[in-house]
Amino acid sequence: MKENTVLEVRDLSMHFGGLYAVDKANLSVKKDEITALIGPNGAGKTTFFNCVTGLYTPTTGKIFITPQGKKREEIDSLKPHKITNKGIARTFQNIRLFQNMTALENVMAGRHRLLKAGILHAILRDKKTKEEEEKVVHDSYEILEKIGLTKYINELAKNLPYGAQRRLEIARALATDPFILLLDEPAAGMNPNETRELDNLILRLKEDEKLSILLIEHDMSLVMRISDRIYVMDYGKIIAEGKPEQIRHDPLVIKAYLGENYNV
Amino acid sequence: MKFSYFIELFLSGLTKGSIYALLSLGYTMVYGIIQLINFAHGEIYMIGAFTALIITTILAYTGMNALAIAFLAIFLAILYSAGYAVTMERIAYKPLRNSTRLSALISAIGMSIFLQNYVRLLQTSDFLRFPPLIPEFGFMRYVEHIFTSTQLVIFVSTCVIMIILTIFIKFSKTGKAMRAVAQDRVMAMLSGININRIISVTFIFGSVTAAVGGILISSYNAQINFNIGFMAGIKAFVAAVLGGIGSIPGAVLGSFVLGWTESFGTGYISSDYEDVFAFLFLILILIFKPEGLLGRSTKQKV
Amino acid sequence: MFSIKNMTKAFFISLWIMILTFPLAVIKVNTIDKTVNWRWFNLIYIGIITFITAFLWDYFLKRNKEDNDRKKKSFLNIIADKKKYFNRPEFKTLFYGALFVVIMVFPFVSGLYQINVMTTALIYVMLGLGLNIVVGLGGLLNLGYVAFYAVGAYSYALLNKHFGINFWIALPIGALFSMLFGLIIGFPVLRLRGDYLAIVTLAFGEIVRIVLENWNEFSFGPSGISGIPRPGLFGLKMNLMQNSILIYFIMIVLTAITVFVVNRLENSRLGRTWVAMREDEIACQTMGINVTKAKLTAFALGALWAGLAGVMFAAKTTFINPASFTIWESIIILCIVVLGGMGSILGVIIASFILIILPESLRFFSDYRMLVFGAILVVMMIFRPGGIINAKRKVYQYKGKKD
């Protein structure tokens, strides 16, 4: 069981002054599984993501990853771009696309780490660079195809419909060629139809791309449908962990979501 | 070094700091509310001084009492500065409230260049003599060689304005609304605060203190010119950043620190590099403590 | 547009502005001979101008809003769309052919003054394109760009004065020095947030100028350095006119190189990185992009062009002093970038020609130059933040699957 773990977070804490946004959280993501992190608003889920991806330096705690066929390594205290280069990609809760770039360019920017061309290559545009550029267009197009966004390739990201923007974020994250994908509320603001499509997309990513996915989501039906395991966070602490059906009936979880006096 | 020289430098730094404080308040308040470096703030200070000069000169012909002239000139200069500030905000900043910070900053730079050249073309590019508006006090006779009456007035008025402003922002309804807008503009709007009015009020406060500063420093230096506002404005901004932009006590502290840095730097090292000291100080602060002396360290929201 | 309501509104606005401008525009005091000059006509002019402006302002502000709502194309965008026709190969050949002929013939049919103005404009094109990398693509507001220009100019002047190094060797050295200077300055300051960066670069620019002004042993102070030799060519003897023509052609070649390089950079991996960084720094980091490195390259490459332009400036004027490198110079270059449309090469070229040649050719205008620049910055930001030519992103064609 242990060797299946691709991401392991141990006793992670993030303090802002007196506020314990994340408090000794333990979590692990297993290979080829969809793990969900749920909890009420302000529970510290996004902060948790920011710590894992290096945007915040955690106050204490350790984060380990185990890439396929490689040894386990520690990634806390690395810079964000270094962590991405280790194979962790993420999306953002409040969409952070490159608004004035086209959809294709967004994905191409995501491809950055897999390309080599430097200043001189860019200026001289030798054969190798040309080929690399052609390949990145090609690959990016394929990623967009997978996500179903090909009709928007040359549209500026800011002009895309909301649902498409959310999906473009996923496409851009995929472009970095990760083995762990962190999705921060991918269904936020989507209508039921779009959510349904998202379901399929995430499941497909898990099956076809062999991705291990950790997602934050408020849409419980989505979480229950697709997750293999669920962690529940409240006031920065992980208060429960288990399979969807266990979580559904966990009294602690119900209390955290609905308050003391709610009877199921 | 001689102790009296030290005292002299200390006092001149105090005067400089007071003026920077009057100016940097406007920067810090505007920044706190709309996150804009109001580049044209120094121009408001210059326009205040120019207006005061024009009014005193004209009134001098009517043979009015000198004290009455001074009061009238200061009053009108403040009024006009406030008018300019509010108009400027309406024209150059309000339409850009939802665009990027870079756009708003460029617009502010444009406004600053426009106002400077507006005064240059309609008035003059030469230095003009500025009449002494502040009388010599008899009781200052013994210390006059190191601390003049004008310097005293500058220091005292800075303190008074600061105290009034702090009390206003802490306790008045408008002051509370200002703080609310600074915290969260949308939320403030939803709870019924008239954002436009609050922003105007902020600009008015900033311009009033700037105009007072402009008049005081001009009567201290005894001359003015169309571009006095530019350098002073940048220095005041430096002071605001030093203290932690957005914080009023920070702006005051930063101003005095800057004033002393310049005054001791020119006194003990070299007078040619006065501005260099201020700028180097700014760069060092921003590199090592970007939130300023009294600013709170804020994590950028992701 | 001409409803009573709008009329009254414009009337009150102009009345307000007239009251506001009254002391500064009408009264002019002379504190020495104690005379007062009342210039009532100014008030009337201001009244009329603001009345008309208020109308137009309101009209365009409304239209702007509607445009945004409907994404309707404005006049200038329609011109940009017409580019389709320009892209036809036969037209392209014709256009570039004509341009080439004009460039080649120009110096031989015009006087010394015109050639010099043209060379100056080309220097600004180069500066504009260089700053465009930093501000337009990278989104890093650099208000001290003139410092790099100064480093280039002083490198040539001093190297020549002390070591007799000639123009052709100094050209790459000046560019290199400027780039190194960019790296040295960039390293500590590039961690700063956007508006702080603007102020710190401004501070650096001013420090450089003040040091040049006061460090007499090094830079010969405010009196500057004179007698800088113009560039030679294989030891040929040339008169002033011929030499100016040579400088003009050197500038043409350098500008062509700049356009070529910037264009290549823009649509490369590096260019995408810069634009991505401008759009969202945090998202950029999570794409595996080293933001510090990307910023440094943008900063240093921008500095490189300023250095080249600086050497050219010194060679052209044969005399430099710190007064040529004030903050206003930085602002003029910024104006070029903003007016041209941040990130657009063609826009930058057009803007430098407008901003440099117009004031040179209209004496009347040159007095009002800075006033108009200021107004342009404000108006552009409000009505057309994309500049004259909206930078268009490259359209990629998908060439089918490869096997």
Side-chain angles (χ1 to χ4, degrees):
Chain A
M1 197 69 183
K2 188 79 179 170
E3 52 268 31
N4 275 338
T5 306
V6 287
L7 172 73
E8 188 189 351
V9 178
R10 238 195 271 151
D11 288 332
L12 184 84
S13 295
M14 181 77 221
H15 302 169
F16 297 106
L19 174 74
Y20 289 28
V22 176
D23 194 8
K24 297 209 181 91
N26 284 293
L27 180 149
S28 57
V29 175
K30 296 207 167 58
K31 196 168 172 307
D32 303 336
E33 271 194 4
I34 296 176
T35 310
L37 177 59
I38 64 171
N41 282 322
K45 302 180 300 284
T46 296
T47 308
F48 182 86
F49 264 30
N50 289 340
C51 289
V52 173
T53 51
L55 292 173
Y56 292 162
T57 313
T59 318
T60 57
K62 295 213 178 302
I63 303 166
F64 299 97
I65 54 165
T66 319
Q68 182 129 46
K70 282 191 198 146
K71 276 223 294 258
R72 196 170 90 134
E73 55 184 317
E74 196 177 332
I75 59 160
D76 46 277
S77 74
L78 284 183
K79 289 245 170 62
H81 67 268
K82 292 246 166 82
I83 292 179
T84 310
N85 286 336
K86 299 261 180 226
I88 299 183
R90 73 170 288 180
T91 66
F92 293 91
Q93 182 182 352
N94 45 340
I95 300 174
R96 301 192 81 121
L97 286 168
F98 306 128
Q99 300 284 345
N100 287 307
M101 292 170 95
T102 63
L104 190 71
E105 281 180 311
N106 266 278
V107 180
M108 285 164 78
R111 215 72 192 150
H112 176 89
R113 78 179 184 96
L114 301 164
L115 309 179
K116 291 191 187 65
I119 299 173
L120 279 179
H121 294 110
I123 295 169
L124 301 173
R125 205 173 281 177
D126 53 319
K127 195 157 169 267
K128 228 173 97 192
T129 314
K130 243 181 175 163
E131 278 170 9
E132 189 184 86
E133 278 293 293
E134 271 169 27
K135 189 168 180 316
V136 69
V137 174
H138 181 259
D139 292 349
S140 307
Y141 186 87
E142 280 195 338
I143 292 169
L144 284 176
E145 205 171 30
K146 227 177 284 169
I147 309 291
L149 289 170
T150 41
K151 63 173 167 180
Y152 298 118
I153 50 168
N154 284 318
E155 290 280 338
L156 293 187
K158 65 176 175 190
N159 296 337
L160 261 54
Y162 187 79
Q165 291 197 13
R166 283 237 172 262
R167 279 186 295 157
L168 182 56
E169 271 226 332
I170 297 178
R172 191 180 61 175
L174 282 183
T176 64
D177 207 9
F179 71 100
I180 303 172
L181 182 61
L182 309 184
L183 301 172
D184 197 346
E185 294 197 29
M190 283 189 173
N191 64 35
N193 273 340
E194 287 172 320
T195 312
R196 201 45 85 167
E197 273 175 43
L198 188 73
D199 259 32
N200 293 330
L201 176 65
I202 297 176
L203 287 172
R204 237 174 42 223
L205 290 178
K206 172 183 133 179
E207 298 297 327
D208 303 349
E209 310 293 317
K210 300 279 172 242
L211 279 172
S212 313
I213 296 168
L214 174 61
L215 94 155
I216 295 177
E217 189 47 69
H218 278 300
D219 186 330
M220 271 319 133
S221 58
L222 179 125
V223 170
M224 292 299 166
R225 275 200 305 270
I226 65 170
S227 317
D228 297 307
R229 249 155 7 95
I230 298 175
Y231 284 87
V232 186
M233 191 178 237
D234 194 21
Y235 292 108
K237 286 191 167 67
I238 300 283
I239 56 166
E241 179 209 337
K243 298 225 175 302
E245 50 281 11
Q246 292 171 310
I247 295 297
R248 205 194 294 264
H249 303 295
D250 191 315
L252 266 174
V253 178
I254 294 166
K255 200 175 100 184
Y257 266 92
L258 303 169
E260 297 276 358
N261 303 318
Y262 191 87
N263 294 313
V264 185
Chain B
M1 294 276 177
K2 271 189 251 115
F3 186 64
S4 68
Y5 187 54
F6 176 85
I7 291 290
E8 204 176 305
L9 291 177
F10 179 86
L11 290 174
S12 95
L14 195 72
T15 313
K16 260 189 193 158
S18 307
I19 293 298
Y20 291 151
L22 286 177
L23 261 173
S24 63
L25 279 175
Y27 273 109
T28 242
M29 285 196 294
V30 167
Y31 194 92
I33 294 222
I34 54 175
Q35 279 78 48
L36 166 78
I37 300 176
N38 182 11
F39 228 84
H41 189 60
E43 270 49 71
I44 296 300
Y45 149 103
M46 178 267 296
I47 283 172
F50 252 100
T51 312
L53 169 73
I54 289 167
I55 288 163
T56 17
T57 323
I58 291 188
L59 290 182
Y61 296 123
T62 61
M64 219 190 252
N65 168 291
L67 205 63
I69 290 178
F71 271 109
L72 207 58
I74 291 170
F75 176 71
L76 283 172
I78 286 174
L79 215 59
Y80 266 99
S81 293
Y84 272 94
V86 170
T87 313
M88 176 173 85
E89 195 271 324
R90 277 292 142 90
I91 293 173
Y93 305 150
K94 197 179 162 201
L96 291 172
R97 231 173 259 168
N98 293 321
S99 19
T100 62
R101 278 155 83 155
L102 202 63
S103 307
L105 180 60
I106 292 173
S107 181
I109 293 172
M111 207 64 216
S112 160
I113 301 170
F114 181 85
L115 288 176
Q116 276 183 51
N117 285 282
Y118 154 80
V119 173
R120 178 177 67 92
L121 290 168
L122 287 170
Q123 291 291 321
T124 172
S125 53
D126 303 328
F127 270 96
L128 291 177
R129 204 185 72 81
F130 198 89
L133 289 178
I134 298 153
E136 301 288 325
F137 304 123
F139 60 86
M140 291 293 287
R141 206 175 316 135
Y142 307 104
V143 288
E144 218 165 51
H145 59 289
I146 52 165
F147 200 62
T148 62
S149 306
T150 311
Q151 280 177 299
L152 180 72
V153 172
I154 288 174
F155 181 64
V156 170
S157 22
T158 302
C159 293
V160 169
I161 288 176
M162 225 68 73
I163 291 164
I164 293 174
L165 206 62
T166 312
I167 290 173
F168 180 86
I169 288 178
K170 263 240 143 79
F171 300 110
S172 77
K173 206 177 152 205
T174 312
K176 279 177 190 159
M178 281 166 80
R179 282 184 292 150
V181 176
Q183 288 267 320
D184 189 334
R185 200 194 300 167
V186 176
M187 209 46 228
M189 195 156 71
L190 290 176
S191 44
I193 293 171
N194 182 346
I195 304 283
N196 286 333
R197 199 182 72 90
I198 294 302
I199 292 176
S200 295
V201 169
T202 312
F203 270 87
I204 290 173
F205 276 135
S207 60
V208 169
T209 52
V212 173
I215 297 164
L216 291 175
I217 193 72
S218 300
S219 43
Y220 176 62
N221 290 337
Q223 58 174 10
I224 60 171
N225 153 302
F226 75 95
N227 62 18
I228 52 165
F230 188 70
M231 220 4 116
I234 291 176
K235 295 269 192 68
F237 177 75
V238 171
V241 172
L242 270 183
I245 195 142
S247 138
I248 289 181
V252 178
L253 177 72
S255 302
F256 284 115
V257 170
L258 184 71
W260 283 317
T261 310
E262 279 190 17
S263 139
F264 287 121
T266 46
Y268 287 128
I269 305 170
S270 162
S271 63
D272 292 335
Y273 293 101
E274 181 181 345
D275 296 344
V276 173
F277 297 127
F279 289 142
L280 275 181
F281 207 47
L282 170 80
I283 291 166
L284 291 178
I285 284 282
L286 283 181
I287 290 170
F288 294 108
K289 203 175 180 325
E291 68 275 13
L293 298 172
L294 294 187
R296 268 166 302 156
S297 134
T298 45
K299 272 255 184 278
Q300 196 180 359
K301 243 190 161 166
V302 180
Chain C
M1 186 184 175
F2 290 104
S3 67
I4 300 288
K5 201 179 135 222
N6 284 348
M7 291 280 241
T8 24
K9 196 178 163 198
F11 173 74
F12 279 112
I13 288 173
S14 69
L15 192 68
W16 167 249
I17 300 286
M18 276 156 79
I19 295 171
L20 208 57
T21 52
F22 173 75
L24 284 163
V26 175
I27 312 166
K28 184 170 179 176
V29 293
N30 189 325
T31 40
I32 298 162
D33 54 14
K34 303 247 184 254
T35 52
V36 179
N37 193 354
W38 296 83
R39 299 163 301 174
W40 292 105
F41 269 111
N42 279 349
L43 198 63
I44 296 168
Y45 297 146
I46 287 173
I48 294 168
I49 292 169
T50 45
F51 186 73
I52 296 167
T53 317
F55 253 134
L56 295 176
W57 192 269
D58 234 38
Y59 172 70
F60 280 112
L61 213 55
K62 269 199 199 100
R63 231 187 68 165
N64 222 20
K65 216 172 160 192
E66 282 166 12
D67 279 2
N68 286 345
D69 293 347
R70 272 190 248 144
K71 300 216 178 69
K72 209 177 74 185
K73 294 204 167 95
S74 80
F75 172 67
L76 281 157
N77 275 346
I78 291 170
I79 292 182
D81 275 358
K82 288 271 185 295
K83 256 167 83 181
K84 281 199 274 285
Y85 302 104
F86 296 122
N87 277 340
R88 293 229 302 265
E90 60 270 30
F91 192 92
K92 246 183 172 167
T93 332
L94 198 71
F95 176 75
Y96 284 117
L99 187 69
F100 183 73
V101 171
V102 170
I103 288 170
M104 294 311 284
V105 171
F106 172 80
F108 301 105
V109 296
S110 35
L112 187 60
Y113 176 73
Q114 278 85 357
I115 294 171
N116 278 335
V117 170
M118 192 51 105
T119 311
T120 310
L122 288 171
I123 290 179
Y124 278 93
V125 169
M126 209 155 129
L127 288 167
L129 288 173
L131 187 63
N132 188 33
I133 295 177
V134 188
V135 182
L137 295 179
L140 307 164
L141 187 52
N142 182 349
L143 290 179
Y145 193 60
V146 74
F148 306 119
Y149 187 38
V151 169
Y154 271 89
S155 297
Y156 176 38
L158 290 171
L159 284 174
N160 183 273
K161 198 169 178 83
H162 297 305
F163 308 106
I165 287 175
N166 79 21
F167 168 81
W168 295 102
I169 297 169
L171 193 64
I173 295 179
L176 202 71
F177 276 4
S178 189
M179 196 168 89
L180 284 178
F181 188 67
L183 285 174
I184 293 167
I185 286 184
F187 200 68
V189 304
L190 284 173
R191 285 181 306 164
L192 299 173
R193 232 181 32 214
D195 32 9
Y196 278 9
L197 181 73
I199 292 294
V200 166
T201 48
L202 185 150
F204 261 119
E206 281 297 287
I207 289 176
V208 167
R209 187 185 56 81
I210 297 166
V211 168
L212 287 176
E213 221 156 61
N214 290 300
W215 193 4
N216 290 324
E217 299 77 29
F218 172 72
S219 63
F220 303 95
S223 52
I225 302 167
S226 57
I228 303 166
R230 294 195 173 81
L233 194 67
F234 309 121
L236 285 175
K237 269 215 173 302
M238 279 182 284
N239 62 24
L240 183 59
M241 181 72 183
Q242 283 162 339
N243 216 322
S244 302
I245 294 176
L246 175 67
I247 296 175
Y248 164 82
F249 278 116
I250 296 172
M251 234 12 256
I252 288 282
V253 172
L254 286 179
T255 311
I257 294 173
T258 317
V259 171
F260 175 80
V261 169
V262 173
N263 186 33
R264 280 269 163 108
L265 285 175
E266 212 175 63
N267 292 311
S268 70
R269 170 176 180 253
L270 203 59
R272 279 195 300 274
T273 309
W274 288 333
V275 178
M277 177 174 84
R278 177 187 78 192
E279 295 294 318
D280 194 321
E281 235 176 78
I282 287 172
C284 220
Q285 293 177 322
T286 60
M287 293 298 110
I289 293 167
N290 184 344
V291 176
T292 319
K293 209 172 124 195
K295 280 183 179 176
L296 263 181
T297 29
F299 216 63
L301 280 177
L304 178 103
W305 298 115
L308 278 181
V311 176
M312 285 310 295
F313 174 74
K316 174 183 165 275
T317 52
T318 72
F319 164 73
I320 53 167
N321 71 348
S324 309
F325 307 104
T326 58
I327 165 90
W328 300 113
E329 211 62 27
S330 292
I331 284 173
I332 291 172
I333 305 167
L334 180 69
C335 257
I336 289 173
V337 176
V338 169
L339 185 64
M342 299 209 229
S344 156
I345 295 177
L346 182 64
V348 167
I349 296 174
I350 295 175
S352 359
F353 278 87
I354 295 176
L355 290 192
I356 303 306
I357 295 184
L358 216 60
E360 288 288 349
S361 42
L362 298 172
R363 276 286 136 222
F364 155 79
F365 189 75
S366 83
D367 240 9
Y368 292 86
R369 181 157 93 147
M370 288 316 275
L371 186 82
V372 174
F373 278 9
I376 283 177
L377 284 181
V378 176
V379 170
M380 287 301 280
M381 281 301 115
I382 293 171
F383 293 107
R384 212 179 152 73
I388 309 177
I389 307 277
N390 241 329
K392 278 248 163 82
R393 298 307 308 166
K394 186 173 174 181
V395 173
Y396 286 93
Q397 236 68 54
Y398 178 60
K399 294 197 188 101
K401 277 195 168 41
K402 270 196 214 167
D403 292 303

